[in-house]
Amino acid sequence: MIPTLLEPAEFEAMMQAPSVASDAPTPAPKQLATRYDGRAKVTGAAKYAVEFEPPTNPAYAFVVQSAIPSGSITAIDQAAAARASGVLAVITPFNAPKLPVSGPQPPARRHVTVLQEPDVFYNGQPIALVVASSLPEAMHAASLLKITYKQTPAKLNFEKRLSESRPPKSPGREPGAQTRGDIPAALANAAVKIDETYTTPYQHHNPMEPHATLAWWEGEKLNVYDSTQYITGDTQTIARTLGIPLENVRVQCPFTGGGFGSKGSTWSHVILAAMAAKLVQKPVKLALERPQMWGPVGGRPATVQRIQLGATSNGKLTAIQHDVTLHTSIMEDFLEPSADQTRMLYASDTNRTTHKLVDMNLGVATFMRAPGESSGTAALEIAMDELAEKLNMDPMQLRLINYAEKDLGSDKPWSSKNLRLCYSQAADRFGWSKRNPKPGSMVEGNNLIGYGMATATYPANRSSCQAVVRILPDGRAFVGCGSQDLGTGTYTIMAQTAANALGIDPSLVEAKLGDSTLPKAPVSGGSQSTASYAPAIVDAALQARLKLTQLAVDDAQSPLHGAQVPDVAFKDGKLFLKSSPTTSDTYAAIVTRAGGKPVEGMGSAEPGEDHTAMSTHSWGAVFAEVAVDRDTHMPRVHRIVATYDIGTLMNKATGINQLYGGIVWGIGFALHEVSYLDDTYGRYVNANLGEYHVPINRDIGEIDVTVLDIPDTKFNPLGARGIGEIGITGAAAAVANAIYNATGKRIRHYPITPDKIMLA
Ligand code: MOS
């Protein structure tokens, strides 16, 4: 009999590495030194959604967007467009195929974006689709549409509408408001107080590859290549929206050119591409233009955050209140929970956090890298710096005094927390002890130099996941999982994890992901992919190895014939007797003798019960040195030094790279990023990468990242927590605090541009 249930002890052992003897020291997981997909990426062999060639010549679709922010479309005259060269179809709310009423995602107001109703809720909303033989023809025909609107007053000025804020209809991942202790009394009695308001602007994700979809039908079956962070969810949403059986939809996405949260949900263009492909009976390619990334596919909501801190004269926090107001779309609620980290980051028995929303005629916002903790720490960590200054205390010291030994928000112990070590290691590497707390006291030529620091934090998440591992007759192996690789390293970790769990070299493993026919995986969002799929792969490898062992002990030709399964161990592509390691049989020989059919193991992993009994978070400390020119007030980041506690570092190349990326984004958050909204017409006026500033190389300076690499085995058997989002957290505030230390000017409104420093 092949054991199908996992022995917990064996599972744990498998997680660590190929084991020889149970008392041998556990070797660190063997890492792939270079990215699995590195060669494909740099040679251009890696293909993205609309680069795939469908079975027959494709048509091209162009999304037409509303030119008004609120109202409805009364007519679309498409006569000229329909006559234009190459045009195959013009789809509008007046002629679009009717979809089932359940809508793409409840609530059904999003229905308008797939042309089911003539209502307009924001400027830029998809209101028609032109399909033609070529993209230029589609774009030209789109310009010939005569659209008549009936306009209604729009809600467009966030700052002027703050008084209209209301509690969220559907809270974020935590209740929208939480209180412990008597806040008013604690604030009234505090020896030292801070009460300030911080703002963060509209931001829009711009992965290198904009959203793009290729769709074609084969009878009732729909094939989709889509740029997505969530193959499994994409497939489900497409099937549900179109009202077709799940098994009739196949979504593939071998490479995602970045996502950052924007590709975690299925937006209207995916549905429109499928709809168009059915209508014109051809494959349809639909790639959003860069400016179309501002509006129809999410973004980060603007926030206004009031923070009140109360402390004793020794710096012990006695009260924390963090009230967040965010904009949301009039179509539906989306809440970025910017106050969530304030519930648990510092020890204060008295704590209140709230979130409120203001309805606006804008597209629906969505998850954007570290949704909550990025904008939340951007405010909270300046407030802590302000409090430290008022206390005449070192900012890191203030954080150590208020170190939270458990999660006071959920009243649970941490699964693992080594934040003290992050502070001390990063501070040493940075040279924090050389900081002069007096603003303007450090000078280099015409520059004022400033040092600032902040705490980084992000929750550790994991979800149910499945995987398949096959041992092949040539001694190689295959690992498959319906996850996706956003450029973060999923292929690499999948191959490495399967190799370690099978005891073979990682170069012998073929990894496949990004196909809905593979076992189901969660969204690559919330920094959860590795922690979810790696245990499933280890389980699948174990199942495959157990089957292989059974084949060997049953095979009269095997040197292992007649042995008991538990007496057999594995290493270097071989099974051997624990009592006599030279009695061995290779994987290749066993599979070949059994007929050459790959030996397959299906695996799965669920978050354990421990997961709900503990609070699981990653931690970090970020230090920044900036220079601010005395004349131009231009701030420049000289260097960032950061240390993170993210559990086991699964792979140095892909892990550290994500932390760099997060920090770079944190610098952009601090100094550059803002979508400017025209509050008369409701369009973002800098909807392009020329005017929506993101950091370039010259903006970054040096980045020095270390990780503690302390396994969090209470979180999962590999000890690895997520790494994708924590890098952006804390980074913006560290830069803001450094600018204050340089200039004595406290800028509380992001981004911190030279004009704000000059006028402060
Ligand atoms: Mo991340 S914003 O959860 O993709």
Side-chain angles (χ1 to χ4, degrees):
M1 261 300 289
I2 296 162
T4 48
L5 280 176
L6 225 46
E7 288 297 321
E10 187 173 16
F11 186 58
E12 296 267 328
M14 290 281 308
M15 293 297 183
Q16 303 298 338
S19 59
V20 183
S22 57
D23 52 356
T26 306
K30 269 193 214 158
Q31 299 189 3
L32 262 175
T34 55
R35 280 176 189 269
Y36 177 92
D37 52 336
R39 190 180 170 82
K41 285 282 177 70
V42 299
T43 57
K47 277 192 185 175
Y48 296 83
V50 290
E51 294 180 332
F52 284 90
E53 285 313 320
T56 55
N57 264 350
Y60 294 81
F62 184 74
V63 176
V64 181
Q65 296 171 277
S66 166
I68 63 160
S70 178
S72 60
I73 305 158
T74 50
I76 296 183
D77 176 355
Q78 54 170 280
R83 278 196 308 270
S85 154
V87 170
L88 301 170
V90 179
I91 311 174
T92 73
F94 305 107
N95 67 7
K98 284 297 160 207
L99 299 174
V101 286
S102 62
Q105 290 174 23
R109 269 185 159 178
R110 270 202 206 185
H111 235 50
V112 300
T113 67
V114 286
L115 312 182
Q116 298 299 292
E117 304 284 347
D119 304 306
V120 173
F121 293 112
Y122 67 95
N123 196 325
Q125 177 187 310
I127 54 165
L129 193 76
V130 180
V131 191
S133 306
S134 72
L135 183 59
E137 286 169 313
M139 293 174 80
H140 172 66
S143 73
L144 302 176
L145 290 175
K146 292 195 185 72
I147 302 164
T148 317
Y149 301 95
K150 179 166 167 285
Q151 203 166 340
T152 54
K155 300 176 183 227
L156 287 170
N157 191 307
F158 179 50
E159 290 77 14
K160 287 187 185 150
R161 290 187 174 270
L162 292 175
S163 62
E164 296 173 12
S165 68
R166 57 167 176 83
K169 283 175 252 173
S170 51
R173 58 179 178 234
E174 302 280 339
Q178 197 188 82
T179 307
R180 54 179 193 264
D182 184 348
I183 278 278
L187 284 171
N189 296 330
V192 182
K193 273 178 262 190
I194 290 290
D195 181 357
E196 297 292 351
T197 297
Y198 309 84
T199 63
T200 67
Y202 304 110
Q203 298 175 348
H204 288 87
H205 343 51
N206 271 278
M208 294 270 271
E209 179 201 22
H211 295 251
T213 307
L214 159 62
W216 76 92
W217 294 81
E218 285 164 12
E220 295 301 303
K221 304 257 184 199
L222 173 62
N223 289 288
V224 177
Y225 278 92
D226 191 28
S227 187
T228 177
Q229 291 175 233
Y230 192 13
I231 285 284
T232 303
D234 211 23
T235 312
Q236 290 164 348
T237 304
I238 292 168
R240 198 171 65 237
T241 309
L242 297 177
I244 60 176
L246 188 60
E247 59 271 20
N248 284 3
V249 183
R250 180 179 181 189
V251 177
Q252 294 179 77
C253 178
F255 296 96
T256 307
F260 311 107
S262 69
K263 294 173 183 169
S265 13
T266 302
W267 301 98
S268 57
H269 63 278
V270 181
I271 305 303
L272 293 178
M275 191 192 272
K278 185 141 214 175
L279 266 180
V280 304
Q281 296 281 302
K282 270 171 176 277
V284 165
K285 290 187 173 185
L286 197 175
L288 295 191
E289 287 197 293
R290 185 58 67 181
Q292 294 178 321
M293 299 295 285
W294 275 262
V297 286
R300 195 192 298 284
T303 75
V304 174
Q305 305 182 50
R306 181 180 176 197
I307 298 182
Q308 299 172 81
L309 301 176
T312 65
S313 52
N314 298 326
K316 183 80 198 70
L317 282 165
T318 52
I320 307 178
Q321 180 160 353
H322 191 164
D323 299 302
V324 183
T325 309
L326 311 104
H327 96 266
T328 192
S329 171
I330 195 163
M331 297 169 72
E332 68 186 62
D333 278 10
F334 175 82
L335 170 64
E336 168 154 329
S338 306
D340 272 12
Q341 78 284 313
T342 307
R343 295 170 183 170
M344 48 56 97
L345 192 51
Y346 299 112
S348 170
D349 295 329
T350 310
N351 185 298
R352 179 165 164 77
T353 46
T354 68
H355 296 94
K356 283 188 168 176
L357 296 174
V358 176
D359 290 317
M360 304 267 295
N361 282 98
L362 291 173
V364 180
T366 194
F367 320 103
M368 185 157 158
R369 208 172 193 173
E373 287 73 12
S374 49
S375 53
T377 56
L380 176 66
E381 292 297 292
I382 299 183
M384 288 295 281
D385 202 67
E386 300 201 56
L387 180 64
E389 193 189 31
K390 249 191 177 168
L391 288 158
N392 198 20
M393 179 178 280
D394 180 89
M396 184 170 72
Q397 185 67 23
L398 177 65
R399 286 159 172 95
L400 289 168
I401 287 173
N402 294 290
Y403 196 84
E405 299 292 354
K406 68 171 200 171
D407 181 342
L408 293 169
S410 64
D411 196 29
K412 287 176 186 173
W414 308 117
S415 59
S416 172
K417 179 177 181 180
N418 303 283
L419 177 56
R420 275 197 193 88
L421 206 48
C422 295
Y423 289 130
S424 60
Q425 191 178 113
D428 282 353
R429 292 173 79 94
F430 182 80
W432 183 248
S433 59
K434 296 193 203 78
R435 172 180 186 259
N436 186 331
K438 191 168 174 294
S441 56
M442 297 190 282
V443 178
E444 256 179 40
N446 203 42
N447 285 325
L448 299 170
I449 305 296
Y451 289 2
M453 62 85 57
T455 309
T457 187
Y458 192 76
N461 300 308
R462 61 178 289 213
S463 300
S464 166
C465 188
Q466 298 163 12
V468 59
V469 166
R470 295 188 194 113
I471 302 169
L472 309 177
D474 58 2
R476 298 175 62 86
F478 169 89
V479 56
C481 177
S483 188
Q484 38 282 315
D485 192 333
L486 284 63
T488 43
T490 312
Y491 278 112
T492 306
I493 307 292
M494 278 177 60
Q496 173 188 309
T497 303
N500 284 328
L502 291 173
I504 62 175
D505 193 86
S507 64
L508 296 175
V509 180
E510 181 198 344
K512 185 163 163 55
L513 53 73
D515 188 329
S516 60
T517 60
L518 291 165
K520 285 186 176 44
V523 59
S524 288
S527 298
Q528 69 170 338
S529 279
T530 298
S532 302
Y533 67 70
I537 289 170
V538 172
D539 182 30
L542 173 63
Q543 303 305 334
R545 195 170 52 71
L546 290 173
K547 276 192 192 172
L548 187 79
T549 307
Q550 193 67 45
L551 280 178
V553 301
D554 287 349
D555 179 358
Q557 286 175 276
S558 172
L560 303 173
H561 180 64
Q564 297 297 307
V565 169
D567 297 335
V568 178
F570 67 105
K571 195 192 178 190
D572 297 337
K574 283 184 201 150
L575 298 179
F576 62 92
L577 281 181
K578 288 177 184 168
S579 58
S580 163
T582 51
T583 307
S584 67
D585 202 354
T586 66
Y587 293 180
I590 300 166
V591 181
T592 303
R593 282 199 313 268
K597 187 168 179 291
V599 174
E600 181 175 287
M602 295 294 299
S604 66
E606 307 281 337
E609 273 175 39
D610 281 359
H611 192 49
T612 49
M614 287 174 308
S615 182
T616 56
H617 291 262
S618 280
W619 312 99
V622 195
F623 292 78
E625 177 185 325
V626 303
V628 181
D629 187 288
R630 281 180 197 271
D631 298 321
T632 65
H633 308 278
M634 177 67 82
R636 290 222 176 262
V637 175
H638 276 180
R639 58 197 180 100
I640 300 272
V641 178
T643 297
Y644 298 96
D645 172 19
I646 44 86
T648 306
L649 178 64
M650 295 289 282
N651 185 283
K652 195 167 179 229
T654 64
I656 300 294
N657 185 262
Q658 287 184 70
L659 293 168
Y660 280 146
I663 289 169
V664 169
W665 201 337
I667 293 170
F669 194 121
L671 303 180
H672 305 125
E673 272 193 70
V674 49
S675 294
Y676 292 105
L677 184 70
D678 177 316
D679 62 16
T680 305
Y681 297 101
R683 279 251 179 150
Y684 296 102
V685 298
N686 59 334
N688 59 75
L689 287 180
E691 293 160 294
Y692 184 90
H693 290 174
V694 295
I696 57 162
N697 202 41
R698 176 73 178 84
D699 295 312
I700 296 306
E702 282 172 43
I703 299 179
D704 170 1
V705 169
T706 55
V707 298
L708 300 180
D709 204 6
I710 300 172
D712 181 356
T713 48
K714 288 182 185 164
F715 174 58
N716 75 24
L718 295 124
R721 294 192 300 256
I723 207 166
E725 298 177 87
I726 190 171
I728 188 176
T729 73
V735 171
N737 294 339
I739 289 172
Y740 177 77
N741 181 237
T743 62
K745 296 182 178 187
R746 188 65 79 178
I747 314 298
R748 301 184 182 89
H749 308 289
Y750 292 99
I752 306 175
T753 44
D755 55 313
K756 290 182 189 164
I757 299 174
M758 182 176 76
L759 296 170

